[in-house]
Amino acid sequence: MDKFVISGGHKLKGTVSISGAKNAAVAILPAAILSDGICRIENIPAISDITLMCRILRDMGANIKMINKNTIEIDPTKMTFRETPNDLMRGMRASCYLMGALLGKFSKASVCLPGGCDFGTRPIDQHLKGFKALGADYNIHSGVINVKCEDNKLKGTHIYLDVVSVGATVNIMLAAVKSEGLTVIENAAKEPHIVDLANFLNCMGADIFGAGTDVIKIRGVQELKGVTYSIIPDQIEAGTYMAAAVVTRGDVTIENVIPKHLESITAKLEEMGVNVETFDESIRVFCNKPLKKCNVKTMPHPGFPTDMQPQITALLSTVEGTSIVNEAVWDNRFRYIEELRRMGAKISVDGRLAVVEGIETLTGANVSATDLRAGAALIIAGLSAKGKTTIDNINHIERGYENIVEKLTSLGADIKHVSDIFSNEEDVSGI
Ligand code: EPZ
C-alpha cells in the first residue's frame, strides 16, 4: 500500500498554482451528457475521482477523449439508455449526479446508491424529493435507485429544500434543465461549484438564473449545444495550501485562485493573526507574529467550508490556546482526530464539537487517512511535526489533490510518495 512520508519542520516558501475544482468538475462532466453536441472541458484536475467519473460515463455509452491530462472531450450524441447499476458508482459521492443527468436526458435513470467519504449518514432524500416534484417516481431495490417519469417529460415545479444540499441542488438542476416550464429551487446551495455548473449549462443554451443565491430558477429548454468550457479553480485545494503555509509559519503565494471564493478562509486566518495579501488571481499568506487561537463553525457557502474543517483543526492543534471547532454540516466528520492524537494533538470531541488545546510541536507518527480532507489534515500536521510522519491510505488524498507531492516539494516540503514495492522508502513521486 503506497504511503506519503513527510519529514516536518520546513517552512514552506514560494508559489504554487491551483488546479481546477474537483466538486465543479464532477458535476460538469455528467452534465455534459445532456448536450446535443460535443463538449470540451478544460482545467479539469488530474485526480482519481475524474478518472472514475470518465470510466462511469464511458460505461454508459458516452465517447470520452482525453485531449491532455486536464482537458476532456465528451460526445454523448450516440448514448442510448441503459440500466447501469455499476459498482464503480460506489467509489464516490458524485456518481449520484448520474441520476439527475440521465433523468434530464432520458426521463429515467437506474444507478447504484453512491459511495464517497464516510463521515456519517449521507442521505439523498432531498434529491429524491426534487425528482418527485418534477414528476418522476422512484424505488430503491438491492442498492439500485430506479427513477422514471412515466409520461417521459419532466415538468417544472417549485421545490423548497429542507436542508441546504449541494448534491440535491446539482441533481435538481440537471433533471430540470430540459424539462417543460419553470422550476424554482428555494434554499438552494450557493457554493462556487453550483455557480460554475449553472454557467456551464447556460453556455450550452440553458436558461438558469439565480445560481449563487438561495433561489435558483430554471426555465426548461429543448436543446443544449456542445461547448468548450473551463472549470473554476479549486477553493478547497487553495485553502489547503493556505493552511499548509501557515502551519509551517512560511510565506507562500497561491496562484490561479478566485479570491472571492476564499473569503471565509482568509477571514479566519486573519482572525488568527496571519498576514494575507489578496491580488486579482492570487493570494499571499505569511506569518510574522505568534498566532492566536480561534473558534470555527462550518456552514454552507458563504460560511466557513466543512471541506476545510479537518485542515484548520490540524493547524489549530499547533496554536497556543483553546479553540472550538463546530462541525455544523456533517454528523461525524472528526474520525481523523484519533490520527492527530497519535501525533500528540490534544483534542477532545463531543458530538459535533472538537475542543483543541494547541501545543508547541506535534510529533511525527504512522497515521492513516480516513477520507480525502482528513488525509489533507494529516499532511498539514506532518509538515509541522518534529520527525517523520508516514501516511497510508493515500488513495483518499489522490481522489482530490492533483500532484500534491510535487506541489509541496516545490514549496520546500520534505515529502515523498513511497510505494510498497520499493524498499527503504524509495521516492516514486517522479515515476
Ligand atoms: C458535497 O457533498 C461535497 N461533495 C462535499 O465535499 C461537501 O462536504 C458537501 O457538499 C458540503 O459542502 C461533492 O461536491 C462531490 P450536501 P454532498 O448534500 O452534496 C444533508 C469533499 O471533501 N443532506 O451538501 O453529499 C447531509 O446529510 C466532499 O470534496 C440531507 O439531509 O453534501 C449534510 O448534513 C466531502 N439530505 C448536508 O445536507 C439530502 O438529500 C449537506 O450535504 C442531501 C444532503
Side-chain angles (χ1 to χ4, degrees), residues 22-23 26 93-94 97 117 119 121-128 163-168 189 191 193 236 306-307 328-331 333 352 372-373:
K22 168 181 86 81
N23 290 346
V26 295
R93 177 76 178 173
Y97 297 155
C117 294
F119 27 75
T121 54
R122 297 194 73 175
I124 57 167
D125 58 299
Q126 298 301 302
H127 302 232
L128 299 173
V163 286
V164 176
S165 161
V166 167
E191 273 68 8
H193 28 290
I236 304 301
T306 175
D307 294 345
V329 174
W330 296 105
D331 55 24
R333 195 171 193 169
R352 290 190 175 208
L372 166 57
R373 307 303 174 184

Side-chain angles (χ1 to χ4, degrees), residues 158-426:
H158 196 127
I159 301 157
Y160 205 106
L161 292 177
D162 300 329
V163 286
V164 176
S165 161
V166 167
T169 304
V170 167
N171 253 335
I172 295 165
M173 284 168 70
L174 296 179
V177 72
K178 293 179 103 171
S179 66
E180 271 171 13
L182 178 68
T183 294
V184 179
I185 308 172
E186 304 258 10
N187 202 20
K190 298 180 271 194
E191 273 68 8
H193 28 290
I194 296 288
V195 178
D196 208 25
L197 172 64
N199 289 341
F200 168 65
L201 290 167
N202 282 339
C203 284
M204 291 161 74
D207 187 358
I208 301 172
F209 39 109
T213 74
D214 42 20
V215 181
I216 299 178
K217 294 182 179 173
I218 303 145
R219 197 172 298 285
V221 295
Q222 295 294 319
E223 192 191 350
L224 293 173
K225 62 185 189 313
V227 292
T228 295
Y229 190 80
S230 185
I231 304 275
I232 55 170
D234 194 314
Q235 65 171 147
I236 304 301
E237 185 194 14
T240 302
Y241 285 100
M242 292 165 81
V246 176
V247 85
T248 62
R249 311 303 188 261
D251 183 340
V252 172
T253 297
I254 295 130
E255 295 180 328
N256 186 32
V257 298
I258 299 173
K260 176 112 186 91
H261 293 170
L262 301 171
E263 282 179 342
S264 61
I265 302 166
T266 300
K268 195 48 72 176
L269 294 179
E270 287 177 328
E271 191 184 323
M272 292 170 64
V274 175
N275 296 286
V276 182
E277 286 176 4
T278 299
F279 306 93
D280 288 346
E281 295 182 345
S282 62
I283 199 160
R284 181 190 172 211
V285 172
F286 61 103
C287 307
N288 57 13
K289 53 184 174 295
L291 299 182
K292 295 175 287 184
K293 62 105 180 162
C294 73
N295 297 333
V296 179
K297 178 173 183 176
T298 66
M299 292 294 283
H301 193 78
F304 189 88
T306 175
D307 294 345
M308 275 297 298
Q309 178 263 96
Q311 299 92 310
I312 198 132
T313 302
L315 169 56
L316 289 168
S317 68
T318 72
V319 175
E320 188 183 359
T322 302
S323 302
I324 310 286
V325 178
N326 180 352
E327 173 51 64
V329 174
W330 296 105
D331 55 24
N332 180 17
R333 195 171 193 169
F334 287 126
R335 282 178 55 208
Y336 65 93
I337 285 180
E338 203 47 55
E339 300 303 304
L340 285 181
R341 287 193 187 115
R342 292 173 188 276
M343 301 175 72
K346 285 201 173 65
I347 307 174
S348 55
V349 174
D350 180 4
R352 290 190 175 208
L353 287 185
V355 179
V356 185
E357 302 285 346
I359 61 170
E360 178 82 24
T361 313
L362 295 171
T363 312
N366 296 336
V367 291
S368 263
T370 49
D371 66 61
L372 166 57
R373 307 303 174 184
L378 295 175
I379 288 177
I380 287 168
L383 291 170
S384 144
K386 188 172 63 208
K388 185 172 78 169
T389 298
T390 301
I391 304 172
D392 62 26
N393 288 342
I394 59 171
N395 54 299
H396 287 300
I397 302 170
E398 291 169 329
R399 286 187 49 206
Y401 289 95
E402 179 176 357
N403 290 340
I404 190 163
V405 170
E406 292 78 2
K407 290 187 180 185
L408 286 172
T409 303
S410 73
L411 293 172
D414 179 347
I415 178 171
K416 292 185 179 57
H417 178 170
V418 172
S419 170
D420 262 2
I421 57 172
F422 290 90
S423 58
N424 318 318
E425 296 170 5
E426 192 166 333

Side-chain angles (χ1 to χ4, degrees), residues 91-124:
M92 64 178 164
R93 177 76 178 173
S95 57
C96 71
Y97 297 155
L98 274 304
M99 288 191 291
L102 288 169
L103 208 46
K105 188 175 183 72
F106 297 117
S107 300
K108 56 186 176 181
S110 177
V111 300
C112 259
L113 280 164
C117 294
D118 174 13
F119 27 75
T121 54
R122 297 194 73 175
I124 57 167

